[in-house]
């Protein structure tokens, strides 16, 4: 299928327009006309090789909302005309205990990322969502409610699930104190989810200008961290703190804020190793953990939760010719709160 998109050809060059072919439909494949594709900070990290060597040419994008345009002969879950979402991976082994448990993101053989990877045949480059068409095996796509604004729904496929999953795993809910570090694409979804789940929510941000937005999104408290004294003087004890920043920040001041058995979960991935003062973990039997997106079952659960609670991302919709500027602004924390590309502009 002839497809137009945007490509990164090296780690040091701007993205440029790109024409390529998507595969013809296999029996379990669904074709979609992409409506919107979100810009995740992971797109930038990978295209700039901030996590190590990448695979080029790279068509980034793993927050994809579209409309089904054709289905393979054996497809049962989707109909033409239906709204559909594709996230961070497009395949996995389907046999290991994690895949069978619906935790495909932790597949023992490794999931197949939506881009910056080879498909499971070991030779075909996987091209992501910065494009006008997509082809996906139906088992790796989700249903998206028509009531959700499609542009605002695109970031749910990565930013949304990446915060929803740890909030569920570590029991965000009534009576629990939850803090989110970094009010970016991920963080602003986490605030909405934690609030909807009934937790008391605090945002730690290095941008004083985001205070009103944080409270409007459902935060109960907003703490500006650009002055280290403020953080040092803060004395609330949290049950759960999620680091959703893209930068190499010192996590020790946050570990200190966890109560007994509290957990600091890392979802932000700067690519820089972290230094931890061990005594902060020992002191109150605190835990440090990480969490990676979410599996297919939980992705659908989150989509349904969003429809039920009317939760979407706050987005700035752009044309494809603005992608390079949008990346610069994302790195500068200058987006409220997710860039989403209008796929008709590819
Ligand atoms: P983003 O929209 O750019 O947001 C990152 C936020 O980090 C910014 O809005 C800012 O929040 C904060 N920040 C940025 N620079 C900072 C600095 N120098 N000091 C302190 N805070 C800073 O990024 P995103 O798309 O939400 O992604 C966040 C991170 O999560 C990225 O590293 C991404 O690769 C990773 N990620 C992980 C997963 C996973 O499965 N675990 C999935 C998706 C993304 P404030 O302005 O409020 O301080
Ligand atoms: Zn992402
Ligand atoms: Zn597997």
């Amino acid at each position: 299928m002839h497809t137009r998109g945007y490509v990164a050809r090296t780690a040091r060059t701007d993205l440029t327009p790109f024409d390529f072919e998507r595969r013809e439909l296999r029996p379990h494949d669904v074709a979609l006309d992409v409506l919107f594709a979100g810009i995740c900070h992971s797109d930038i990290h990978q295209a700039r090789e901030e996590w190590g060597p990448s695979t080029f040419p790279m068509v980034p994008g793993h927050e994809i909302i579209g409309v089904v345009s054709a289905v393979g002969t054996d497809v049962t879950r989707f109909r033409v005309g239906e709204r559909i979402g594709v996230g961070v991976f497009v395949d996995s082994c389907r046999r290991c205990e994690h895949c069978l448990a619906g935790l495909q993101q932790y597949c023992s053989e490794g999931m197949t990322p939506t881009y910056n990877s080879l498909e499971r045949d070991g030779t075909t480059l996987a091209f992501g969502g910065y494009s006008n068409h997509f082809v996906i095996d139906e088992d790796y796509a989700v249903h998206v409610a028509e009531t959700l604004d499609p542009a605002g729904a695109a970031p749910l496929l990565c930013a949304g699930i990446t915060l929803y999953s740890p909030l569920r795993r570590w029991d965000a809910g009534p009576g629990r104190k939850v803090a989110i570090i970094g009010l970016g694409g991920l963080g602003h979804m986490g605030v909405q989810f934690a609030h909807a789940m009934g937790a008391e929510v605090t945002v730690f941000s290095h941008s004083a200008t985001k205070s009103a937005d944080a409270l409007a999104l459902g935060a109960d408290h907003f703490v500006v961290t650009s002055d280290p004294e403020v953080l040092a003087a803060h004395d609330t004890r949290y049950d759960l703190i999620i680091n959703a920043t893209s930068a190499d920040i010192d996590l020790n001041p946050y570990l200190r804020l966890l109560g007994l058995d509290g957990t600091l979960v890392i979802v932000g991935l700067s690519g820089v190793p972290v230094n931890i003062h061990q005594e902060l973990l020992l002191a109150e039997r605190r835990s440090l953990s990480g969490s990676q997106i979410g599996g297919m079952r939980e992705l659908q659960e989150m989509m349904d939760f969003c429809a039920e609670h009317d939760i979407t991302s706050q987005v700035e919709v752009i044309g494809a010719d603005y992608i390079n500027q949008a990346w610069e602004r994302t790195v500068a924390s200058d987006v409220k709160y997710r860039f989403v590309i209008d796929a008709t502009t590819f």
Side-chain angles (χ1 to χ4, degrees):
M1 179 188 304
H2 185 73
T3 304
R4 288 192 314 277
Y6 259 58
V7 71
R9 292 192 181 278
T10 78
R12 284 162 299 282
T13 47
D14 277 354
L15 280 77
T16 50
F18 182 49
D19 284 70
F20 61 102
E21 293 294 322
R22 298 248 183 228
R23 66 174 182 253
E24 295 306 316
L25 294 195
R26 298 171 188 152
H28 287 282
D29 278 347
V30 174
L32 49 135
D33 293 332
V34 180
L35 295 173
F36 295 98
I39 292 181
C40 177
H41 208 118
S42 303
D43 302 341
I44 303 168
H45 287 309
Q46 291 176 88
R48 296 182 176 174
E49 297 194 314
E50 290 167 0
W51 294 346
S54 291
T55 306
F56 295 100
M58 181 193 299
V59 176
H62 57 206
E63 296 183 333
I64 307 161
I65 291 281
V67 175
V68 175
S69 57
V71 295
T73 51
D74 294 343
V75 167
T76 57
R77 293 183 53 238
F78 291 94
R79 291 174 285 104
V80 170
E82 197 180 348
R83 197 160 289 169
I84 183 172
V86 177
V88 178
F89 55 91
V90 292
D91 210 346
S92 65
C93 86
R94 301 164 190 250
R95 293 178 306 271
C96 73
E97 60 176 315
H98 303 316
C99 283
L100 294 176
L103 296 169
Q104 296 88 348
Q105 77 276 34
Y106 303 119
C107 173
S108 307
E109 291 185 11
M111 62 175 175
T112 304
T114 306
Y115 67 86
N116 188 24
S117 68
L118 296 176
E119 293 183 4
R120 295 194 96 72
D121 62 9
T123 54
T124 310
L125 269 178
F127 287 136
Y130 289 12
S131 62
N132 62 345
H133 299 301
F134 204 86
V135 175
I136 183 77
D137 183 299
E138 64 169 336
D139 291 342
Y140 293 81
V142 289
H143 300 277
V144 182
E146 296 280 341
T147 51
L148 292 174
D149 165 50
L156 300 175
L157 275 305
C158 176
I161 186 62
T162 301
L163 269 288
Y164 182 88
S165 186
L167 288 167
R168 279 283 186 236
R169 170 83 186 161
W170 280 277
D171 298 322
R176 305 270 286 172
K177 283 185 165 50
V178 172
I180 312 275
I181 315 171
L183 196 69
L186 270 58
H188 92 293
M189 293 311 310
V191 172
Q192 296 184 74
F193 288 141
H195 174 69
M197 291 173 190
E200 182 179 335
V201 188
T202 298
V203 170
F204 291 107
S205 169
H206 85 313
S207 307
T209 55
K210 295 180 179 176
S211 171
D213 289 343
L215 299 180
L217 286 161
D220 300 285
H221 315 282
F222 183 84
V223 180
V224 184
T225 57
S226 42
D227 177 0
E229 297 293 315
V230 173
L231 202 52
H234 194 72
D235 64 358
T236 305
R237 285 287 178 269
Y238 295 92
D239 300 296
L240 172 64
I241 301 179
I242 301 181
N243 174 28
T245 66
S246 55
D248 171 27
I249 64 164
D250 182 7
L251 294 178
N252 291 295
Y254 297 99
L255 277 177
R256 190 187 59 80
L257 297 178
L258 290 170
L260 184 69
D261 288 329
T263 306
L264 172 61
V265 179
I266 295 175
V267 296
L269 192 57
S270 69
V272 181
V274 293
N275 268 309
I276 296 297
H277 298 170
Q278 298 101 315
E279 70 275 14
L280 290 172
L281 292 177
L282 275 54
E284 298 201 45
R285 203 166 55 190
R286 297 166 173 132
S287 298
L288 176 64
S289 193
S291 185
Q292 182 167 278
I293 44 174
M296 293 312 301
R297 205 175 290 164
E298 198 169 43
L299 192 57
Q300 188 64 63
E301 178 190 309
M302 179 217 56
M303 278 295 174
D304 298 342
F305 184 91
C306 289
E308 187 186 333
H309 294 270
D310 195 23
I311 291 175
T312 51
S313 170
Q314 290 193 7
V315 296
E316 185 173 331
V317 177
I318 61 166
D321 60 358
Y322 191 74
I323 291 172
N324 293 301
Q325 289 102 307
W327 278 24
E328 292 309 325
R329 283 183 50 196
T330 299
V331 171
S333 305
D334 176 25
V335 50
K336 293 185 170 176
Y337 279 87
R338 200 57 144 189
F339 285 113
V340 168
I341 308 160
D342 175 351
T344 61
T345 62
F346 284 114

